[in-house]
Amino acid sequence: MAQFVKKDDDRDEEAEYSPFLGIEKGAVLQDARVFNDPQLDSRRCSQVITKLLYLLNQGETFTKVEATEVFFAVTKLFQSKDIGLRRMVYLIIKELSPSSDEVIIVTSSLMKDMNSKTDVYRANAIRVLCRITDGTLLTQIERYLKQAIVDKNPVVASAALVSGIHLLQTNPEIVKRWSNEVQEAVQSRAALVQFHALALLHQIRQNDRLAVSKLVTSLTRGTVRSPLAQCLLIRYASQVIRESSMNNQSGDRPFYDYLEGCLRHKAEMVIFEAARAITELNGVTSRELTPAITVLQLFLSSSKPVLRFAAVRTLNKVAMTHPMAVTNCNIDMESLISDQNRSIATLAITSLLKTGNESGVDRLMKQITNFMSDIADEFKIVVVDAIRSLCLKFPLKYRSLMNFLSNILREEGGFEYKKAIVDSIVILIRDIPDAKESGLLHLCEFIEDCEFTYLSTQILHFLGVEGPKTSDPSKYIRYIYNRVILENATVRASAVSTLAKFGAMVDSLKPRIFILLRRCLYDNDDEVRDRATLYLNTLGGDGSVVETEKDVKDFLFGSLDIPLVNLETSLKNYEPTEEHFDISSVPKEVKSQPLAEKKSAGKKPTALGAPPAAPTSTVDAYEKLLSSIPEFSTFGQLFKSSAPVELTEAETEYAVNVVKHIFDKHVVFQYNCTNTIPEQLLENVVVVVDASEAEEFAEVATKPLKALPYDTPGQTFVAFEKPEGVPAVGRFSNVLKFIVKEVDPSTGEAEEDGVEDEYQLEDSEIVAADYMLKVGVSNFRNAWESLGPDFERIDEYGLGPRESLSEAVNAVVNLLGMQPCEGTEVVAANSRSHSCLLSGVYIGNVKVLVRLSFGVDSSKEVAMKLAVRSEDESVSDAIHEIVAN
Amino acid sequence: MLLAVLITNSEGNILVERFNGVPGEERLHWRSFLVKLGADNLKGVKNEELCVASHKSVYIVYTVLGHVNIYLVGKDEYDELALSEAIFVVTSAIKDVCGKPPTERLFLDKYGRICLCLDEIVWKGLLENTDKDRIKRLVRLKPPTEF
C-alpha cells in the first residue's frame, strides 16, 4: 500500500497522484480477503475499509452477494484489539447494512461491546445494533438501552437517545416504554443529551397534548442548555399555543413572554426560531409582531449571508399575511435587490412586490428590470408570479406591469419561464378587462417569434376564444395567418382552427376568412388540409355572408362532452365498416387518474387551455356520469352527492370509498375502488350490500366493474329504491367480491384463470344529513322574516352532559348537515350560552332555516331550543324528528 | 432531516456523498444541482464563508474549505440556521483531522478518519455530536474530556 505513505503537499505532484487513483470495485473486494488472514494486519485492514467507504461514498453499490461476502469477512475483525480498526469496523457494518438473517453473526460481538467497561465501545455498539436490528432483537437489548439513556457518559446517552429517535419509526411500542428514562435524560446537565432527549420525548408524547403542554411549561421555566434544544422548545411551545388558542381566544397568549424573551438570546438560531414562531402565531396582533419584525430587520443588514437569507425568508412569509407590518423594512429590502446571493435578492424582490404600495410600483419595476437579466429561470418564475399577484392587486397599474411582462417575454428564456409569463398575461387579460386588447397584442407579437410549439398552439386557441369578442377582431388575423405560412404543421393546424373561429363568430370577416382558409386546402400536411376542408364546408364556404347556426358552432367549437381518453380508445377500436363511427357510443364514464398522476398533479390552476371549472363541477360530473348509465337514467334529478367516505383503512390491498347519491325515490352507492397490488388484476368487481339494517331500502340494480387493473381506479354501483320523499335512514354492510387473476409483473399480462375472492369493507350509512343540501343565505334575518311563521316549529331538548358548548353545537350542526350562517358556528370561549343560525335545502327542494339557542349549566348539561321555519310544514316536523331521534 | 452531506473537489468531482431519506433516483439530480450551485457561486469565496440557497422547500448551506467544497442539504427543522451550525462542525472536524484547510490530496489521505468524523456528526440525518474536541477523541475511541 505504497499509495498511503504520507506525501508532502506539493500540488504538482498531487494532481497526478491520488491515493484512490484507478480504484476499482472488483480489486477492492479482492483486497477484502485480508480480513480472513489468521494474522490480522490492522493497518492494512483499515486501509481496505477506507477504500470500501470511498467506493460507497461515490454512490457505488454492492450486489447482495458482494455485500454479504464483505460483511462476513468484516465480522472476523472483531478479533482484533486495535482500537482504530474497531472504530472502522463499526462504521463499515452500518454502511453495509446487512440483512436480518445475517445480522445474527455480529450480534453477540456487539452485545459484548454493549456491556463493555469502555464507554465508547458501548456507544458505538448501541448505534450499530440499533441500525441493523429488528423488533425481536430489540426486546432482548431493551434493558441495556434503557440503562444507556441515563448513562452518566453523555456519549453513551446520546447514542441511545438518537437510536431511540430512529427506532420510534419502526418499533414505536417498544420505544414508548422508555419514557421515564427519557424524561430523566431531559434534565441532564449535558447540553446535547438534553437536546436529543427533548426531541425523543416530544415524539413519544406528541399525541398527548396535556403531556406536551406540561413539558413545555416546566422547561420554559427551567434551564435549557443548548441552543438546539432551545429551538426545539420554541417549536413545541408554539404548538401548544396553536392548540390552546382554539379554546382560549381571550386574554393573554400563553408563552408569548417566553418567545419574546428568546428574541434576546445570544444564539442567532434561537432568535430566529422565536421570531418565526411569533410571526406564525394565529391572529397575531401588530403589538406582538413588532419586536420580532425589529430583530429580523436588524439581520437584513448582517454581514453573514445565512442570516440575511433567514431574515428575508421569514419577512417574505410575513408579507403574505401582514404586509403592513413589513413595510418598515422596505428600505433595507431594497438594498438587498443587489445582493450577490440571488436567493436573497429574489426573496427581497418578491417581498417588496407584496408590500409595496401603488405609487411605488413604477420605481420598483425599474429596479427589477436590471435584476432580471442576471438570475436563473427558476428565480425569474417566482418574480413573474409575484408580479401577476401585484397586478391583480393594483389593476390600475396594469399598463406598466403588462409592459414589463411583454418585455421579458421577448428576452431569452426556457420553456417553463416563458410559460409562466404567458400564463400570467392570460390571467391578467381574463381578470382585468382594460388589459385585454394590449395583452392579446403582446401575445400575438410573441407568437411571431416563438420557438415553443406548445405555447404557440395554446395562444392561438386563446386568441380564437377572446379575439372575436374585441372591438376590432380583424387586426389579429395577420398574426394568425402568418402562422399558416411560417410554422410547423401542429401550429398551422391550430392557426386554421383559430381562423375558422373568427369566421364563425364575426360575420363581417367571413368572406375574407374563407379566402384564407381556401389557401390552406393546398397545405402539404393532411391535418391542416382536413381542418380547412371541414371548416369551409360546415361554415358555408361559398362566400355568402350568412349567420353561422348555433349547432354548427357547437359542433365545431363546443366541448365534446366526453373524456378525450375514451374517444381515443373508441377510435382505436373502431374498424372501418359500412357502419359509421358513432360518437354517442363513446362511454362518458370518467376514468379517474392513476394514483401516481394524482399526486403529481399540481394545485396551480393553469391559465391556458380549459376554462376554470365552476364550483359545482363535481356535482355536474356525477350527474353526467349517472345519467350515462342506463340503469339509473330513469331516477330523475340528482338531489345530492355526498363527499367520498372511506370504507377501507389507509394502505390496504384495495382502497374503496363510497359516494352516496340521493334521488327522490332512489339512493345510489358509487364505490370508487383502487387496486394497489401490481401483481393482480381484478375482474367482475361488485360490492354485495346487506341492507337488513335498512328496512325501507330495496336493492334494484347493480352495475359491476368489468376489470380493475393495478393503480387505475374504477367504479361499481349499487342502487336502492326507497319511499318517495321519505328521509329513510339505515345501515348497510358491504363486501367487495371479485375474480382475482395473477399478473406477470415483467410482461404485465394476466393469467387466464382467476379465483373468486372477497374483501370485507366497512359499513356505510344513510343518515338524515344526506337529505339536506348545505346552501347558505347572505342575510339570515331577511330570509327568516320572508319565510314567515306559518310553518314554524319550536321545541326544547336536553342534550345531556357535554365536553363543551362548542362540541354540542358542532354535533347538532353535523347531525342536520346544514350550512352555518354568519360565522355562528364558532362559540366564544367560556361562554355559557350561544345562538347558531343554519340554512339548507331539504329533499324535494324545500328551503329550511334553523335557529338554535344553547345554554350550558355548571354540570355541563346542555339544553337547546330549536326553531325551524320552512316552506313545508312536514319538513319542519321532519327536522325536529331528526333531533328528537 | 439532514438530507445530504456532499463534499467535492474544486472541479466538482465527488469525494464524499452521503444521503439520508433521499430516494435513489433523485440523488443524481441533487448531485448535479449542488455541483452547479457551487460552480456558479463559490468562485472567490473565502474559506468557511457560508453561502445559502433554497430549492423546492429544502435548504442548502455550502462553503469552501481549502480545495474542497462542502454542501449540506436539509429540510423542516434543518433549516439554513441549523445547517450552518452543522456545517461549522463538519468544517472544524475536517480542519482538525487535516491540520489545516485541506488540499484534495490531503483530504484523500485522511479519508478514513474524515468518514469517521462524519459518522460521529450525522446519524442517519440527525445531528449527533457538535463539539470538535469530543469528535476528535471519539474517532479514536477515547471518552470525551469534559466528562
Side-chain angles (χ1 to χ4, degrees):
Chain A
M1 258 313 124
Q3 295 107 304
F4 275 79
V5 177
K6 190 171 165 29
K7 290 295 250 178
D8 61 16
D9 298 317
D10 185 351
R11 287 281 295 156
D12 291 338
E13 208 171 329
E14 274 165 30
E16 54 192 290
Y17 201 74
S18 153
F20 301 110
L21 193 69
I23 187 168
E24 209 226 333
K25 185 171 88 171
V28 180
L29 291 174
Q30 286 273 339
D31 286 348
R33 295 191 178 160
V34 297
F35 301 160
N36 295 317
D37 282 355
Q39 293 295 316
L40 281 177
D41 178 349
S42 318
R43 191 181 160 75
R44 188 160 150 64
C45 291
S46 291
Q47 287 167 349
V48 176
I49 293 180
T50 306
K51 283 187 178 180
L52 288 166
L53 289 170
Y54 180 80
L55 286 173
L56 288 167
N57 282 336
Q58 300 282 310
E60 181 74 77
T61 48
F62 293 159
T63 64
K64 177 92 176 59
V65 177
E66 287 166 349
T68 308
E69 207 164 282
V70 176
F71 170 69
F72 280 125
V74 164
T75 56
K76 305 257 167 59
L77 301 180
F78 272 101
Q79 293 166 23
S80 165
K81 292 274 179 273
D82 184 286
I83 288 180
L85 180 59
R86 176 63 63 91
R87 184 64 189 80
M88 291 297 250
V89 168
Y90 291 135
L91 177 54
I92 192 72
I93 293 179
K94 283 193 282 187
E95 294 293 317
L96 290 169
S97 16
S99 60
S100 51
D101 50 331
E102 298 162 0
V103 168
I104 189 84
I105 192 159
V106 277
T107 41
S108 62
S109 307
L110 288 170
M111 298 272 262
K112 199 174 129 206
D113 284 357
M114 220 165 134
N115 293 306
S116 157
K117 288 216 171 58
T118 317
D119 289 341
V120 264
Y121 275 30
R122 289 218 304 280
N124 277 296
I126 289 171
R127 297 200 297 180
V128 179
L129 266 174
C130 291
R131 172 89 168 242
I132 63 179
T133 191
D134 60 2
T136 44
L137 183 65
L138 193 57
T139 38
Q140 286 178 44
I141 58 170
E142 189 186 355
R143 187 162 56 94
Y144 305 113
L145 289 173
K146 278 166 127 179
Q147 278 169 12
I149 288 171
V150 290
D151 197 293
K152 54 188 187 308
N153 186 326
V155 176
V156 179
S158 273
L161 287 163
V162 181
S163 302
I165 296 175
H166 287 299
L167 290 169
L168 195 64
Q169 314 300 325
T170 49
N171 294 286
E173 66 296 339
I174 297 181
V175 180
K176 281 182 182 163
R177 295 201 289 252
W178 308 349
S179 121
N180 285 342
E181 287 76 9
V182 181
Q183 174 91 49
E184 201 181 322
V186 170
Q187 307 302 331
S188 164
R189 296 181 59 83
L192 272 176
V193 173
Q194 191 181 39
F195 165 57
H196 293 135
L198 182 56
L200 179 56
L201 191 62
H202 178 259
Q203 285 194 24
I204 291 176
R205 296 192 174 162
Q206 58 185 339
N207 295 325
D208 182 350
R209 254 194 239 176
L210 191 65
V212 173
S213 171
K214 269 187 186 167
L215 177 71
V216 171
T217 311
S218 76
L219 284 176
T220 47
R221 287 195 198 122
T223 44
V224 175
R225 288 181 180 81
S226 86
L228 286 165
Q230 194 72 261
C231 287
L232 286 185
L233 186 57
I234 292 172
R235 254 172 245 150
Y236 304 155
S238 34
Q239 184 193 341
V240 174
I241 297 174
R242 256 199 311 279
E243 281 161 1
S244 63
S245 65
M246 286 172 207
N247 307 322
N248 174 19
Q249 297 212 327
S250 57
D252 282 344
R253 209 186 280 274
F255 301 117
Y256 176 78
D257 290 341
Y258 163 71
L259 293 180
E260 212 248 356
C262 288
L263 292 175
R264 292 181 290 276
H265 199 276
K266 59 182 190 299
E268 284 140 355
M269 60 157 57
V270 176
I271 300 176
F272 270 106
E273 197 63 51
R276 274 179 198 159
I278 291 176
T279 60
E280 284 164 14
L281 290 174
N282 275 339
V284 62
T285 63
S286 55
R287 194 174 61 86
E288 288 171 319
L289 260 181
T290 309
I293 302 288
T294 310
V295 296
L296 290 170
Q297 186 177 2
L298 286 177
F299 281 119
L300 286 178
S301 43
S302 160
S303 61
K304 297 180 186 170
V306 172
L307 300 182
R308 290 201 301 276
F309 176 82
V312 75
R313 182 166 77 84
T314 313
L315 288 170
N316 185 285
K317 263 195 186 162
V318 182
M320 289 188 210
T321 48
H322 300 85
M324 292 313 289
V326 187
T327 45
N328 281 343
C329 310
N330 280 3
I331 295 177
D332 301 273
M333 294 255 204
E334 282 187 28
S335 61
L336 290 181
I337 295 182
S338 52
D339 198 296
Q340 276 204 324
N341 185 313
R342 302 286 80 182
S343 298
I344 295 176
T346 313
L347 283 167
I349 284 204
T350 48
S351 311
L352 284 168
L353 288 173
K354 283 171 204 148
T355 58
N357 52 21
E358 194 155 1
S359 58
V361 168
D362 293 320
R363 191 168 52 95
L364 197 57
M365 297 318 290
K366 218 180 222 167
Q367 280 175 298
I368 297 176
T369 313
N370 302 329
F371 162 85
M372 287 297 270
S373 55
D374 52 29
I375 55 171
D377 272 10
E378 69 233 41
F379 293 134
K380 287 182 184 167
I381 293 173
V382 179
V383 176
V384 168
D385 288 345
I387 286 176
R388 184 183 59 219
S389 319
L390 185 72
C391 193
L392 294 174
K393 193 165 134 202
F394 302 126
L396 287 177
K397 285 285 163 194
Y398 79 86
R399 223 179 285 274
S400 64
L401 294 167
M402 189 68 104
N403 275 338
F404 176 83
L405 290 175
S406 75
N407 284 337
I408 53 173
L409 194 53
R410 283 191 215 114
E411 280 158 22
E412 287 292 296
F415 172 73
E416 290 296 333
Y417 174 47
K418 289 290 166 83
K419 184 167 180 294
I421 303 172
V422 171
D423 283 352
S424 296
I425 293 181
V426 168
I427 288 173
L428 297 184
I429 290 174
R430 278 205 182 127
D431 288 9
I432 307 173
D434 288 343
K436 185 169 172 179
E437 305 239 339
S438 63
L440 287 178
L441 277 177
H442 288 313
L443 292 177
C444 282
E445 267 166 35
F446 173 60
I447 52 173
E448 287 281 30
D449 185 23
C450 170
E451 53 185 312
F452 304 109
T453 299
Y454 175 84
L455 289 180
S456 291
T457 53
Q458 298 285 300
I459 290 174
L460 282 168
H461 173 78
F462 185 68
L463 270 177
V465 177
E466 297 292 338
K469 296 183 216 154
T470 55
S471 59
D472 180 12
S474 65
K475 65 182 173 196
Y476 304 103
I477 304 295
R478 175 168 68 89
Y479 298 99
I480 302 167
Y481 189 65
N482 277 347
R483 308 281 67 72
V484 178
I485 306 172
L486 298 169
E487 302 278 357
N488 64 42
T490 314
V491 179
R492 291 205 301 278
S494 287
V496 167
S497 299
T498 305
L499 280 177
K501 267 183 212 163
F502 275 80
M505 314 259 280
V506 188
D507 291 326
S508 59
L509 286 178
K510 211 173 244 181
R512 285 182 278 168
I513 295 279
F514 285 149
I515 296 174
L516 298 178
L517 285 179
R518 271 189 218 109
R519 289 190 193 164
C520 303
L521 293 174
Y522 305 103
D523 196 282
N524 55 16
D525 183 80
D526 53 356
E527 170 71 19
V528 179
R529 287 196 305 272
D530 288 354
R531 283 196 192 193
T533 313
L534 173 72
Y535 293 132
L536 277 170
N537 286 334
T538 44
L539 296 175
D542 54 1
S544 58
V545 183
V546 287
E547 206 171 308
T548 313
E549 285 171 23
K550 192 181 168 297
D551 50 349
V552 173
K553 280 188 199 168
D554 281 350
F555 166 64
L556 290 178
F557 311 118
S559 86
L560 272 176
D561 226 18
I562 39 177
L564 282 180
V565 195
N566 296 7
L567 179 60
E568 190 187 352
T569 330
S570 300
L571 280 170
K572 276 184 183 160
N573 294 340
Y574 171 71
E575 282 169 24
T577 51
E578 293 271 297
E579 211 175 310
H580 291 300
F581 178 78
D582 179 10
I583 199 160
S584 61
S585 68
V586 181
K588 291 187 178 178
E589 280 176 62
V590 188
K591 262 197 181 171
S592 320
Q593 297 163 289
L595 286 180
E597 261 178 60
K598 242 190 223 169
K599 276 179 209 147
S600 64
K603 285 176 205 145
K604 261 199 201 162
T606 47
L608 286 166
T616 53
S617 62
T618 39
V619 180
D620 281 353
Y622 282 140
E623 199 157 15
K624 270 187 189 163
L625 171 62
L626 292 170
S627 61
S628 69
I629 300 171
E631 291 91 325
F632 310 146
S633 57
T634 56
F635 289 179
Q637 178 80 23
L638 173 64
F639 174 69
K640 180 183 179 179
S641 297
S642 74
V645 181
E646 296 299 332
L647 298 183
T648 49
E649 308 253 315
E651 293 171 17
T652 45
E653 300 96 306
Y654 314 113
V656 181
N657 64 45
V658 64
V659 178
K660 300 174 272 185
H661 301 291
I662 310 289
F663 294 85
D664 250 5
K665 279 172 69 182
H666 297 90
V667 171
V668 176
F669 287 132
Q670 173 186 334
Y671 296 92
N672 299 310
C673 315
T674 308
N675 166 15
T676 65
I677 307 175
E679 297 83 15
Q680 284 190 1
L681 168 71
L682 309 190
E683 287 186 351
N684 283 342
V685 183
V686 287
V687 176
V688 177
V689 184
D690 173 9
S692 55
E693 284 180 68
E695 287 166 4
E696 288 172 280
F697 293 84
E699 189 173 321
V700 287
T702 304
K703 187 169 186 307
L705 175 62
K706 272 190 193 155
L708 184 62
Y710 164 63
D711 213 11
T712 312
Q715 299 107 14
T716 161
F717 301 83
V718 181
F720 290 88
E721 197 170 36
K722 68 170 191 64
E724 184 168 0
V726 176
V729 295
R731 195 177 185 85
F732 304 80
S733 66
N734 305 303
V735 178
L736 189 70
K737 288 206 171 174
F738 45 82
I739 295 171
V740 56
K741 291 185 173 174
E742 295 282 317
V743 174
D744 181 347
S746 56
T747 62
E749 278 175 24
E751 282 178 9
E752 292 221 338
D753 299 323
V755 188
E756 272 190 39
D757 200 355
E758 59 179 51
Y759 189 80
Q760 183 69 44
L761 305 174
E762 306 266 331
D763 291 355
S764 49
E765 265 186 304
I766 294 285
V767 292
D770 288 323
Y771 297 102
M772 182 71 80
L773 272 181
K774 280 189 178 183
V775 178
V777 288
S778 54
N779 185 330
F780 189 89
R781 198 197 170 95
N782 281 356
W784 182 262
E785 295 306 329
S786 69
L787 266 182
D790 299 350
F791 302 129
E792 179 168 321
R793 292 285 179 274
I794 303 177
D795 208 342
E796 289 178 7
Y797 300 88
L799 302 182
R802 291 284 174 163
E803 196 181 294
S804 67
L805 197 51
S806 139
E807 187 261 335
V809 173
N810 274 334
V812 177
V813 171
N814 289 336
L815 175 71
L816 294 176
M818 297 176 74
Q819 177 68 43
C821 300
E822 297 166 19
T824 52
E825 74 276 24
V826 181
V827 182
N830 302 327
S831 60
R832 317 292 306 162
S833 64
H834 182 73
S835 295
C836 180
L837 310 173
L838 305 174
S839 133
V841 171
Y842 198 63
I843 190 160
N845 281 329
V846 184
K847 203 169 173 188
V848 188
L849 296 174
V850 163
R851 272 174 192 246
L852 299 166
S853 311
F854 294 85
V856 60
D857 68 9
S858 53
S859 60
K860 295 211 166 181
E861 290 275 347
V862 176
M864 177 182 81
K865 180 176 154 193
L866 167 67
V868 187
R869 284 188 181 185
S870 77
E871 293 165 332
D872 184 333
E873 194 176 4
S874 64
V875 171
S876 299
D877 289 332
I879 302 294
H880 274 281
E881 262 171 52
I882 295 171
V883 176
N885 293 332
Chain B
M1 181 75 102
L2 222 162
L3 298 171
V5 179
L6 188 84
I7 304 179
T8 70
N9 66 8
S10 33
E11 281 87 52
N13 300 317
I14 307 295
L15 301 175
V16 174
E17 177 184 83
R18 296 173 71 89
F19 285 105
N20 303 290
V22 178
E25 64 274 16
E26 284 178 24
R27 294 183 178 183
L28 193 64
H29 162 76
W30 274 107
R31 180 195 289 180
S32 41
F33 175 78
L34 292 176
V35 169
K36 182 168 183 305
L37 193 69
D40 290 346
N41 298 296
L42 283 177
K43 289 260 148 48
V45 168
K46 282 190 241 125
N47 264 345
E48 293 181 74
E49 185 182 328
L50 298 187
C51 297
V52 59
S54 63
H55 178 67
K56 294 181 179 174
S57 82
V58 307
Y59 308 102
I60 302 134
V61 173
Y62 55 110
T63 190
V64 173
L65 185 67
H67 292 128
V68 300
N69 301 344
I70 304 168
Y71 306 82
L72 258 62
V73 183
K75 69 170 184 186
D76 301 334
E77 67 272 32
Y78 285 91
D79 59 9
E80 65 275 16
L81 296 159
L83 288 177
S84 34
E85 179 87 4
I87 205 167
F88 174 73
V89 187
V90 173
T91 48
S92 341
I94 294 177
K95 269 194 306 186
D96 212 40
V97 169
C98 299
K100 58 178 179 181
T103 57
E104 181 186 348
R105 173 63 210 277
L106 184 56
F107 185 93
L108 290 174
D109 274 343
K110 302 286 183 187
Y111 197 83
R113 185 135 289 180
I114 290 170
C115 287
L116 292 179
C117 289
L118 291 177
D119 183 48
E120 294 290 353
I121 297 167
V122 184
W123 202 126
K124 264 175 86 183
L126 297 179
L127 195 58
E128 185 167 349
N129 284 303
T130 55
D131 180 78
K132 78 177 165 88
D133 292 321
R134 182 194 283 190
I135 293 164
K136 189 176 174 181
R137 294 182 65 81
L138 288 176
V139 298
R140 298 191 166 92
L141 284 180
K142 299 247 167 50
T145 46
E146 77 268 39
F147 155 68

